[in-house]
Amino acid sequence: MILTVTMNPAYDLTYRMERLERGRAQRVLAVEQRLGGKGINVLRVLGQLGTCARATGFADHTFAAAAADEFPADFVPALPWVRRTLVISESRDGTATGLWEPGAYIHEPHAVDRLADRIGVLLPELDGVVVSGSLPGNIGDEVPAALARLAVAAGVPTVCDVDGPALKFAATVPGIVLMPNQDELERLTGIVADRPEAVVGAVRPLLHAGVRAVIATRGAAGMIAVTESGAWSARLPQPLAGNPTGAGDAAAAAVIRALAATREPDWPAVLADAVATSAAAVVIPVAGEIDPTLRERLLPTVQVTDLTARTPEFP
């Protein structure tokens, strides 16, 4: 069982259009709405991969009830309302435009304690935890790190996919696995890491401070994984066009699935799976889904490069 934590969930709306033209009224060809948020996206992909998962986090009463009806979930009803995210998907060339509403403010003084208690009760039966996404108003940047620290202290593999000050706090949790994109990594380290070797050099101090692994997602350029034992890059021979929203969540699902299965993961294999699973999400117009057949077809084509020998930080 893997637990995903989503503190700022959303109703995900997808408008499918032939072409978006600014400044004029247009007809939408199709509309899809579903419960979303990064952790919920991870949960959905885990389900497609055959892995049991449960969701928690903050919500309002309506969202919490809807989530519990659709998948295993136990949200803390502390939000006054739940935001919406809108993706406009253009069939003409596959372009996707995202519009994210800000999250509501939480005024319930014990909301974080209630969420921590729910996670604590579940920890003995968990094989993995993913803490991901933005934070609602009035929730401190240190909260994702505090929740991750609970899980790691209980011996549960934990992935954290957050940004900004929350990522800086998460990077102080010994044993955590971080999954920033390139922009988030540069903000965290203060280093412009435009080459694979530069990424490895930028994250090595995080590993020395106790982080278990950093898996940097780099869009069409693939991903880079760095651990104390080595560093690897992975990418497809040719990137796929489509909707990148949710691709990072699909990668997080692949990573936590591997970490939950074994204490000593084969990191190059984990990285290849994350790249293939992420690519299989890009071709789907809505976040939280993958094309499983495409994933299986792409996995043998992923090109993995050992960066360890190229980087002086490794002995």
Side-chain angles (χ1 to χ4, degrees):
M1 174 68 73
I2 292 171
L3 181 70
T4 69
V5 183
T6 308
M7 283 177 273
N8 198 18
Y11 292 102
D12 286 346
L13 290 166
T14 301
Y15 286 178
R16 298 194 186 187
M17 306 180 65
E18 175 67 25
R19 179 182 178 183
L20 175 64
E21 298 181 29
R22 295 180 59 193
R24 60 179 293 267
Q26 297 159 82
R27 292 192 180 278
V28 176
L29 300 178
V31 179
E32 296 182 22
Q33 176 173 302
R34 55 174 16 191
L35 307 182
K38 289 182 70 64
I40 292 175
N41 293 341
V42 173
L43 174 141
R44 293 186 191 277
V45 174
L46 285 169
Q48 286 191 271
L49 296 175
T51 300
C52 295
R54 186 176 188 87
T56 190
F58 297 126
D60 62 11
H61 287 282
T62 301
F63 191 100
D69 284 342
E70 186 176 343
F71 44 77
D74 186 15
F75 280 86
V76 175
L79 286 170
W81 49 267
V82 171
R83 67 193 177 116
R84 294 166 296 181
T85 64
L86 172 63
V87 172
I88 302 172
S89 178
E90 300 178 57
S91 59
R92 178 178 61 94
D93 59 2
T95 298
T97 303
L99 303 172
W100 306 153
E101 292 183 0
Y105 273 72
I106 288 181
H107 299 291
E108 206 273 283
H110 303 294
V112 172
D113 292 336
R114 291 168 61 195
L115 179 57
D117 288 344
R118 294 193 185 193
I119 294 173
V121 168
L122 292 171
L123 279 175
E125 61 187 80
L126 296 179
D127 301 301
V129 171
V130 177
V131 182
S132 58
S134 59
L135 301 178
N138 213 30
I139 296 298
D141 293 315
E142 75 284 354
V143 171
L147 299 178
R149 198 180 298 273
L150 286 176
V152 173
V156 179
T158 304
V159 169
C160 204
D161 180 7
V162 293
D163 188 16
L167 180 57
K168 291 184 180 293
F169 280 107
T172 67
V173 179
I176 200 168
V177 175
L178 303 178
M179 291 192 65
N181 62 33
Q182 184 161 329
D183 290 340
E184 293 164 351
L185 180 62
E186 290 179 359
R187 286 192 290 269
L188 173 63
T189 63
I191 298 173
V192 177
D194 53 351
R195 296 176 299 104
E197 293 80 6
V199 172
V200 177
V203 305
R204 286 294 289 170
L206 302 176
L207 303 178
H208 292 325
V211 170
R212 180 181 182 184
V214 177
I215 300 178
T217 59
R218 306 172 72 229
M223 302 181 194
I224 295 174
V226 189
T227 73
E228 280 292 349
S229 61
W232 305 267
S233 66
R235 63 184 300 170
L236 293 176
Q238 295 292 332
L240 300 180
N243 176 18
T245 305
D249 303 327
V255 170
I256 194 61
R257 182 170 177 261
L259 298 182
T262 177
R263 291 183 177 273
E264 298 296 333
D266 179 347
W267 287 105
V270 172
L271 191 60
D273 189 14
V275 168
T277 306
S278 177
V282 169
V283 299
I284 304 295
V286 296
E289 288 189 17
I290 63 171
D291 181 333
T293 302
L294 178 62
R295 170 180 173 269
E296 293 298 324
R297 183 161 57 84
L298 291 175
L299 187 55
T301 73
V302 177
Q303 300 170 344
V304 179
T305 302
D306 192 339
L307 302 174
T308 308
R310 302 185 189 179
T311 312
E313 285 84 354
F314 290 98

